[in-house]
Each structure stands twice: as structure tokens, then as C-alpha cells.
Amino acid sequence: MAIESHPVMEDGAPFPTLFWLTCPVLAKRASSLESVGWMAEAGDQLSASATLVERFSSAIDRYRARRDGHAVIDDRGSTPGGGPERVKCVHAHVAHELSDPPNPVGSIALAKAGWPDCRVACFETPGAR
């Protein structure tokens, strides 16, 4: 459902995120949350809960440590995923929650989006029967 990628591309540019959502169903559901402005709702939840901000900050610190284990990236101008006071990319937080939990924002988004039923094919390969 998610992969861990190298944080630097071959040309030296930073890759957009360490954890990448690969499940097409979850990617579409994360996009749906983003399209209705769920990031603002998540930001409101962060504003209302110091505990949630603390847990989210801890997740971001773990993310950075894991990423920096591959390659150190200076992100002083752009905190991973937008946090800890705001949510920038639902996809990244859901992928982080799936790959290296806990990420409380990813967990909340995953609960809101709903787990796909992986016992049923999410798409059909052309020509396959």
C-alpha cells in the first residue's frame, strides 16, 4: 500500500517524500480528502489539541531521523508534510502511517478515508479473466 523511497533523486534533487502511497484506492481516497479541504479540518484539530500536536511532532521527528538515515536533507524552510501545526499532504501522512506508524494525522486520515477491501481486486487487468 506504501513504499519507502530514497529521499534524493539521481540528479541530487530531494524526492517529494520518503514514504509514497502506492495503493490506487487509498491514493484516490487521499485525493478526495484533499479536494474537499480536509487539511484545514486537520489543522483545526491540531489547533485544538496540544497532545495531538505533540504526537504529530514526534512522528515528524521520527520521519526526519529515518530519512536522514538515507541522506540528510535540509528542510528548515519546509517541514515534512507541512506539520506540526498544519497538514500539507494527506498522501504523505497516510503512507507514513502505513510504513512507520504512528503518524496521528495519517491515522485520522486513514480512518476517515476507510481501508480498502484488498480481498477484492481494485482494478482489472485488460485481457485477464
Side-chain angles (χ1 to χ4, degrees):
M1 295 184 139
I3 60 167
E4 183 171 348
S5 61
H6 195 275
V8 179
M9 294 188 286
E10 288 181 11
D11 67 0
F15 193 72
T17 184
L18 179 62
F19 302 106
W20 193 260
L21 198 54
T22 59
C23 170
V25 173
L26 281 178
K28 186 173 183 177
R29 290 179 184 179
S31 292
S32 293
L33 288 176
E34 288 181 351
S35 72
V36 297
W38 182 81
M39 290 89 59
E41 181 182 323
D44 291 344
Q45 290 180 15
L46 289 164
S47 296
S49 174
T51 302
L52 183 58
V53 169
E54 184 178 314
R55 290 174 49 226
F56 192 33
S57 292
S58 177
I60 291 168
D61 290 345
R62 275 190 5 273
Y63 175 99
R64 279 187 175 121
R66 189 156 175 162
R67 181 199 61 205
D68 290 352
H70 295 286
V72 177
I73 295 176
D74 179 5
D75 62 10
R76 284 177 286 175
S78 178
T79 304
E85 292 86 20
R86 71 182 186 97
V87 177
K88 184 174 151 186
C89 180
V90 176
H91 297 79
H93 293 295
V94 170
H96 185 202
E97 169 64 15
L98 291 169
S99 301
D100 184 32
N103 177 317
V105 169
S107 179
I108 293 166
L110 189 55
K112 186 150 183 88
W115 281 89
D117 182 355
C118 293
R119 295 170 295 171
V120 178
C122 56
F123 64 92
E124 201 171 305
T125 304
R129 294 237 178 229

